[in-house]
Amino acid sequence: ADFVLVWESVPQELSGQQDGHGNGDSQERSATVRRTWRKNFLDKLDAAGIHMEKHMAHAQKKAVHYLLLSAPWSVLCYYAEELQLRVPLQALPRQASNLSASVLRRLGIPNPMAQEVPNPPLDYYTCPFKANKLRWFLGSNEQDTFFSTTQRHQILYEILATTQYGPSREREVGVDQLLRDKVFTAAFPLHEARPQDPQGRAPLPAPHYQPLSQRQVLFQYWASWGKWSKYQPLGHIREYFGEKVAFYFAWLGFYTGWLLPAAVVGMAVFVAGVFLVFSDVPLQEICTSKEQYWMCPLCKTCPYWQLSKICSTFMAGRLFDHGGTVVFSVFMSLWAVLFLEFWKRTGASLAHHWDCSEFEDIEERPRPQFTAMAPMTIINPITGAEEPYFPKRSRLHRILAGSMVIVMMIAMVVMFVVSIILYRTVVAILLSSSGYFWFVASASRIASITGSVVNLIFILILSKIYISLAHFLTKWEMHRTQTKYEDAFTFKVFVFQFVTLYSSPVYIAFFKGKFVGYPGKYLSFLGVRNEECSPGGCFIELAQELLVIMVGKQIINNMQEVAIPKLKCWWHKRQFLSSKKAGKEGESVLVEQAPWETDHQLLVFEGLFAEYLEMVLQFGFITIFVAACPLAPLFALLNNWVEIRLDAHKFLCDYRRPVAERAQGIGIWFSILEAIAHLAVISNAFLIAFTSDFLPRAYYEYVHGGSLRGYVNFTLAYAPWDFVLRSNTTCRYRAFRDRDGNLTLTYWQLLAIRLGFVITFEHVVFFMGRAIAWLVPDIPESVEIKVKRERYLAKEALAENKVGCGSSSAPPVNP
């Protein structure tokens, strides 16, 4: 059997008891409708030639029915041609596709990341299947193994997804709708033999002693924590899960490998900051100033304070804010460009290697839901086939209407961000005026940290609501193919998540403390005085915010990925095992479960969106704000080493096997990554120019002959005369203003330097990025040669005088 349908029923004696509680008639009517739909659907499958084998089990006062489906050879051939599945023409030598492996091989260095994995999938030249050219394909005499397991799953799912079970053409079609209407409780392909649990058991046998199933190979050589430093067996992953899942793990592994140099350079920059702290002149001036600098109050009821009190906070800020961060920002901007260019090459190699380089343009079929609901048909200009069609103008109107809903949701996020800002300001004022020394000294820090935590909780709650809304809007927009549907959904949710997650760091980096005013004339918003940076500066606040959100979110996600699937699986198994008992006296005896029962107790696979989203948001943190936290790539690297093995174990042991889906790459995620890489250049330019102290320090050094002596005094203005007269105390504040509160010439000179730096930084980095993109071809030359060779072989092997690869053929059997 290849596929399993599951439904539940309540025995007659129990259903009578339940009906006594009321609503019995309506429940009976809905149960009758579901039985009718199920019978119609199964009758259609039987008419299509699908083999069916029924089993039943009992669990918690209900009967669970398992229907095992398999397709005979004639049906497989018909649908393989209909779906244009590619099958092998000729085997070819396997070639390593890892950049690091080829570099180490050329250098003659042993590769510590390589591993010998048993049963490696062979490489082939392939061609779309034609039933009447069967003898020209490899393995055509072995009907049981000619089509791979994942291809049989694809064929069966296509039949299930397009079978109509009611008179309504628009709605009553496909197994997905039946699952939503609870006619069936589950539909999934069967996993292979269960992977052995390494805890408390003997290790898995070596391949030459006992052959391992594909799932056991993946469990031992991929999901094992001991393989954290080894290449992922992508060929095996693709064979077992399909191209879409394989592309995700290929990209995740590639990204994690590229994080290694970024983490090393980031660590070097951080260590350099540690050493620079000990010789930093402004830091020494602040820490030794004692009562030299009395600072103006941070709020109406706050006391005057000494600058020397911020010695430790300023020292922490200097760990991140120094000349090395400029170099690191340039490095990370170019790193992002190089990463994307080389992934483009790797993706093209994998797409060809996995026979899906033309999938989206030629081979991808319309979604079954689109086919059922499309109001008209049209001739596809590429394939020449008649296909369902939805007018572009109508889709555009729906997209625009959905966009308005998204804008309203984003406006809600912005309103909440403003409320978090006000919360931080009010809490800081309350703590500063509390009278407790510890609260007064740490008021700004406490307000900032608690604000970050509240913001994180809000992000996690609101994202759940928005994702369900995005699903509804994307279905309503009527996208033709699954790829276009997923791209539209991905874009909607990413925009929302981006605004939600990045709004607070953007505010701290570019707005906080920029519109404060000066003593005696402070600016306010909604009656509350605008928030200032903490005494140590906004740079250390931004680093703290990044660490709270980035590291906190990663820890929460990893805990969820470990705990939630395990708890859900335990609960599912408990529901089933609690009623599986044997023996006259009622003792509970564990009965060996059938594979379909075991798989039914696993979790439903819900797609790759959440996995991609987590990694792409992480990519944004390590590029857009990297100037504020050079340790971000290191934290990302450590997280991803764990993430790969967690995801591998989750896919193999906790989830039901997903239907294998084809894909040409990582979809719209690549375009999103490119947009983030460009945004990162602009963000880092402004971060260094306007938030960091790098340019004021460089300006002061240039004007004062290379010395920073007196820099602290240079950055502090005196309170205006009218403020001093009212308070009868002279104080200082951070600004370039005179005693009347007017901006000085130094401010305007620094502003010109800052804007000049932004323009120069952007132009230099963008130019270097363009040069890199021009020097690195999108498709490797070896892949272009393979494509031409494959076309030549297909033409020769299936030439018209032999079998005619390009000719049309009727199916041998029309089920």
Side-chain angles (χ1 to χ4, degrees):
D2 294 312
F3 223 92
V4 183
L5 289 177
V6 186
W7 71 92
E8 298 172 354
S9 63
V10 180
Q12 194 67 37
E13 61 274 12
L14 291 175
S15 63
Q17 296 172 16
Q18 292 178 357
D19 289 350
H21 296 291
N23 298 324
D25 292 339
S26 62
Q27 288 180 7
E28 183 60 35
R29 279 196 299 273
S30 62
T32 303
V33 170
R34 285 198 289 270
R35 280 196 296 270
T36 304
W37 282 349
R38 183 163 54 239
K39 183 179 183 305
N40 292 345
F41 188 74
L42 297 181
D43 288 345
K44 289 283 183 72
L45 293 182
D46 187 51
I50 302 299
H51 292 164
M52 291 183 272
E53 179 185 337
K54 190 173 179 182
H55 297 266
M56 191 168 71
H58 294 278
Q60 287 211 344
K61 300 181 181 180
K62 59 189 175 187
V64 183
H65 304 264
Y66 297 95
L67 193 66
L68 277 55
L69 308 178
S70 58
W73 173 251
S74 58
V75 175
L76 290 173
C77 287
Y78 173 70
Y79 277 96
E81 187 168 342
E82 183 78 9
L83 296 173
Q84 295 187 328
L85 297 183
R86 298 182 74 92
V87 287
L89 284 169
Q90 175 184 325
L92 71 155
R94 178 162 179 76
Q95 298 178 356
S97 58
N98 276 306
L99 176 66
S100 54
S102 55
V103 169
L104 290 173
R105 189 172 57 251
R106 287 177 186 173
L107 296 174
I109 301 172
N111 189 354
M113 295 173 286
Q115 63 171 336
E116 287 294 326
V117 183
N119 312 326
L122 296 174
D123 291 346
Y124 300 100
Y125 289 118
T126 62
C127 182
F129 178 76
K130 294 285 184 182
N132 63 346
K133 286 82 171 180
L134 180 63
R135 63 194 178 95
W136 295 99
F137 295 111
L138 281 181
S140 57
N141 56 339
E142 298 288 339
Q143 292 187 0
D144 292 340
T145 58
F146 179 73
F147 293 109
S148 68
T149 307
T150 50
Q151 286 178 329
R152 294 201 302 272
H153 293 168
Q154 286 174 290
I155 290 170
L156 274 165
Y157 180 72
E158 176 69 18
I159 296 169
L160 293 173
T162 55
T163 298
Q164 193 172 332
Y165 57 87
S168 173
R169 178 178 174 272
E170 289 189 356
R171 187 171 181 273
E172 294 170 0
V173 62
V175 70
D176 291 329
Q177 186 60 45
L178 289 170
L179 289 168
R180 282 192 287 271
D181 291 334
K182 299 182 180 178
V183 177
F184 294 109
T185 55
F188 52 88
L190 273 175
H191 269 300
E192 290 182 0
R194 293 178 66 183
Q196 296 182 32
D197 188 348
Q199 294 179 353
R201 300 194 185 186
L204 289 172
H208 46 272
Y209 295 133
Q210 179 182 338
L212 300 174
S213 71
Q214 194 82 274
R215 190 184 184 194
Q216 289 169 331
V217 168
L218 287 171
F219 184 78
Q220 183 175 356
Y221 292 91
W222 178 45
S224 170
W225 290 101
K227 304 296 182 182
W228 68 269
S229 62
K230 303 296 183 184
Y231 291 133
Q232 300 179 87
L234 295 177
H236 293 74
I237 298 170
R238 180 237 178 177
E239 284 278 310
Y240 193 75
F241 289 111
E243 287 82 6
K244 183 171 283 189
V245 171
F247 262 114
Y248 165 70
F249 282 104
W251 176 81
L252 179 56
F254 187 84
Y255 170 49
T256 304
W258 272 73
L259 279 173
L260 189 58
V264 169
V265 176
M267 272 294 293
V269 170
F270 179 75
V271 171
V274 172
F275 283 103
L276 288 172
V277 160
F278 297 107
S279 59
D280 188 60
V281 174
L283 176 61
Q284 293 169 0
E285 289 183 349
I286 288 175
C287 293
T288 59
S289 62
K290 296 183 180 178
E291 297 185 5
Q292 182 180 352
Y293 301 109
W294 279 94
M295 306 298 290
C296 298
L298 296 172
C299 65
K300 285 182 180 178
T301 58
C302 297
Y304 292 84
W305 55 284
Q306 297 169 18
L307 188 62
S308 58
K309 298 292 184 185
I310 68 162
C311 176
S312 57
T313 310
F314 192 81
M315 183 184 296
R318 290 301 299 147
L319 293 174
F320 303 106
D321 188 4
H322 55 87
T325 57
V326 181
V327 177
F328 190 51
S329 297
V330 175
F331 170 81
M332 285 302 294
S333 299
L334 298 179
W335 172 89
V337 173
L338 271 171
F339 161 67
L340 293 174
E341 286 300 319
F342 276 95
W343 166 251
K344 203 184 291 183
R345 288 166 58 85
T346 303
S349 299
L350 290 173
H352 173 74
H353 182 60
W354 292 341
D355 294 324
C356 46
S357 53
E358 296 178 338
F359 171 69
E360 290 179 18
D361 295 330
I362 297 174
E363 300 173 27
E364 189 171 18
R365 292 164 58 81
R367 296 169 62 238
Q369 295 87 344
F370 176 81
T371 304
M373 300 184 70
M376 61 185 77
T377 59
I378 196 173
I379 301 296
N380 187 314
I382 297 174
T383 63
E386 188 175 0
E387 290 184 352
Y389 177 73
F390 189 79
K392 289 184 179 178
R393 183 181 290 273
S394 300
R395 181 180 296 118
L396 181 62
H397 289 162
R398 292 188 177 193
I399 290 172
L400 289 174
S403 300
M404 295 300 103
V405 177
I406 292 168
V407 168
M408 288 172 61
M409 290 293 291
I410 291 173
M412 281 180 58
V413 175
V414 173
M415 288 168 60
F416 187 84
V417 170
V418 171
S419 66
I420 288 286
I421 294 166
L422 294 174
Y423 162 84
R424 279 201 291 245
T425 307
V426 171
V427 168
I429 292 170
L430 292 174
L431 291 175
S432 298
S433 56
S434 65
Y436 294 101
F437 174 77
W438 189 82
F439 282 154
V440 171
S442 309
S444 181
R445 197 177 309 119
I446 292 170
S448 183
I449 291 173
T450 55
S452 300
V453 172
V454 171
N455 194 33
L456 178 61
I457 294 168
F458 165 76
I459 288 166
L460 297 174
I461 293 171
L462 197 60
S463 62
K464 300 289 184 186
I465 301 169
Y466 182 82
I467 286 172
S468 57
L469 178 64
H471 268 301
F472 171 78
L473 290 173
T474 311
K475 286 176 188 173
W476 185 57
E477 289 167 4
M478 290 288 290
H479 294 280
R480 175 181 166 271
T481 63
Q482 186 66 22
T483 300
K484 285 186 168 58
Y485 173 89
E486 289 179 1
D487 286 352
F489 173 75
T490 297
F491 180 75
K492 286 183 183 65
V493 180
F494 178 78
V495 168
F496 176 80
Q497 293 280 10
F498 185 87
V499 173
T500 305
L501 207 60
Y502 288 82
S503 53
S504 186
V506 165
Y507 164 72
I508 292 173
F510 304 118
F511 297 101
K512 186 176 181 181
K514 304 295 188 294
F515 310 100
V516 177
Y518 54 90
K521 197 174 182 181
Y522 286 114
L523 303 178
S524 62
F525 176 72
L526 298 178
V528 178
R529 179 174 148 184
N530 286 354
E531 199 177 13
E532 288 190 57
C533 293
S534 64
C538 275
F539 221 67
I540 185 63
E541 275 194 65
L542 179 59
Q544 169 193 294
E545 182 83 1
L546 291 178
L547 290 175
V548 167
I549 292 183
M550 180 181 168
V551 179
K553 195 171 190 302
Q554 288 179 350
I555 291 172
I556 289 171
N557 283 342
N558 286 335
M559 288 171 61
Q560 286 178 334
E561 288 187 25
V562 171
I564 292 177
K566 295 297 179 191
L567 289 172
K568 285 184 176 178
C569 284
W570 171 81
W571 180 251
H572 285 183
K573 288 176 183 175
R574 183 177 177 275
Q575 285 182 307
F576 283 90
L577 292 176
S578 63
S579 60
K580 292 185 79 67
K581 55 173 80 174
K584 293 181 180 178
E585 297 182 5
E587 300 96 356
S588 181
V589 179
L590 289 179
V591 179
E592 184 66 30
Q593 290 186 310
W596 45 88
E597 293 183 61
T598 307
D599 285 5
H600 183 218
Q601 293 164 18
L602 300 178
L603 304 181
V604 178
F605 175 72
E606 296 180 345
L608 292 165
F609 174 79
E611 315 294 341
Y612 271 119
L613 180 67
E614 182 184 351
M615 291 297 105
V616 172
L617 289 173
Q618 181 200 87
F619 178 82
F621 275 120
I622 68 166
T623 52
I624 294 176
F625 302 109
V626 75
C629 189
L631 291 176
L634 175 65
F635 289 120
L637 176 66
L638 296 174
N639 174 78
N640 290 7
W641 271 334
V642 175
E643 184 76 24
I644 290 175
R645 307 304 153 188
L646 279 180
D647 285 349
H649 191 275
K650 193 167 59 177
F651 274 64
L652 284 171
C653 303
D654 297 334
Y655 284 160
R656 294 172 190 163
R657 188 173 183 177
V659 179
E661 293 183 71
R662 302 193 71 203
Q664 198 169 319
I666 63 173
I668 198 174
W669 290 112
F670 184 79
S671 302
I672 290 173
L673 289 168
E674 283 190 313
I676 289 175
H678 283 82
L679 187 61
V681 176
I682 300 167
S683 169
N684 283 309
F686 277 93
L687 203 58
I688 294 165
F690 289 93
T691 307
S692 165
D693 269 351
F694 172 73
L695 289 180
R697 282 169 173 257
Y699 171 83
Y700 187 84
E701 274 189 301
Y702 176 77
V703 171
H704 293 82
S707 172
L708 282 173
R709 290 282 170 199
Y711 174 75
V712 173
N713 187 60
F714 165 74
T715 60
L716 298 177
Y718 285 93
W721 293 115
D722 54 351
F723 180 82
V724 173
L725 290 172
R726 284 201 307 270
S727 59
N728 205 24
T729 308
T730 300
C731 61
R732 310 290 293 272
Y733 65 102
R734 283 179 63 90
F736 295 102
R737 293 179 181 270
D738 58 22
R739 293 302 294 264
D740 296 321
N742 300 316
L743 295 168
T744 62
L745 179 62
T746 302
Y747 170 84
W748 297 110
Q749 288 174 337
L750 269 174
L751 180 63
I753 291 169
R754 283 169 165 155
L755 293 174
F757 174 84
V758 168
I759 294 168
T760 305
F761 184 94
E762 288 178 2
H763 279 66
V764 168
V765 175
F766 279 135
F767 172 77
M768 293 171 73
R770 292 287 181 186
I772 290 169
W774 178 70
L775 290 171
V776 180
D778 290 351
I779 301 176
E781 187 180 353
S782 59
V783 172
E784 291 181 339
I785 293 171
K786 283 182 186 176
V787 170
K788 292 173 183 176
R789 172 70 176 162
E790 187 167 274
R791 286 174 181 165
Y792 171 77
L793 277 175
K795 187 176 178 181
E796 286 294 305
L798 305 176
E800 195 64 45
N801 61 350
K802 290 181 180 178
V803 285
C805 180
S807 64
S808 61
S809 62
V813 176
N814 191 338

